[in-house]
Amino acid sequence: MPHSGCRIELRYPDLTFAAVATFDAPALPLADSGTVQLGVDSLQHDDAWLVAAIAVALSPDNGVVAHGDLKAAFARWRSTEVPSDGAFDRNLLRPALISRGLELPGPRMNKIVYLVDRCRRTSEFPPRILDDIRARLDSL
């Protein structure tokens, strides 16, 4: 409801229920708050955020980036060696999922699919951030 004093009316063939809702509205957040304010540099401090942003940025519209490509992109970003599959999953993908409250239904489920889907559904990363990530990866 947009404001206090809204009238709510429910109708069922011969019955009508009406109520006026009054409440103290919470303070609205400032415009451009939250992740929209974040820049690529703010993602540098948390691997769980960075790996998710890279995964979304590199994933095609109707799919997800391959595991090996995501590992290589993350290693390139951090200027490190490409981690093993187990180390990457344990130290990066699992924490990225856990930090978003996601639980996999089984140990063999594709973690990247779940991560990218969740980030897209919640619009976690604005398009300009994803464009910046792609540009930085292209320059590395």
Side-chain angles (χ1 to χ4, degrees):
M1 290 187 286
H3 54 81
S4 183
C6 287
R7 180 180 173 90
I8 303 165
E9 212 170 274
L10 301 170
R11 294 185 193 152
Y12 187 76
D14 294 334
L15 302 170
T16 300
F17 172 78
V20 175
T22 56
F23 54 89
D24 294 327
L28 295 175
L30 299 173
D32 295 331
S33 65
T35 58
V36 175
Q37 283 183 337
L38 295 178
V40 173
D41 291 333
S42 64
L43 300 173
Q44 295 282 19
H45 306 293
D46 188 341
D47 287 349
W49 279 83
L50 182 59
V51 76
I54 292 172
V56 175
L58 294 182
S59 292
D61 289 338
N62 296 317
V64 296
V65 63
H67 193 271
D69 293 340
L70 179 57
K71 284 188 337 177
F74 183 82
R76 209 166 58 238
W77 188 287
R78 288 288 193 223
S79 300
T80 62
E81 292 182 31
V82 177
S84 68
D85 285 355
F88 185 73
D89 287 357
R90 190 174 43 257
N91 299 327
L92 297 164
L93 284 180
R94 285 210 178 270
L97 291 165
I98 291 167
S99 69
R100 289 162 178 84
L102 294 171
E103 290 185 30
L104 296 176
R108 300 309 250 162
M109 301 304 292
N110 189 319
K111 297 167 201 69
I112 300 170
V113 169
Y114 279 84
L115 181 60
V116 169
D117 179 62
R118 193 294 191 162
C119 292
R120 283 179 174 161
R121 275 188 293 111
T122 59
S123 301
E124 190 167 317
F125 302 106
R128 69 174 176 77
I129 298 278
L130 299 174
D131 290 342
D132 288 349
I133 289 169
R134 289 181 198 108
R136 189 173 291 189
L137 285 169
D138 287 343
S139 71
L140 295 175

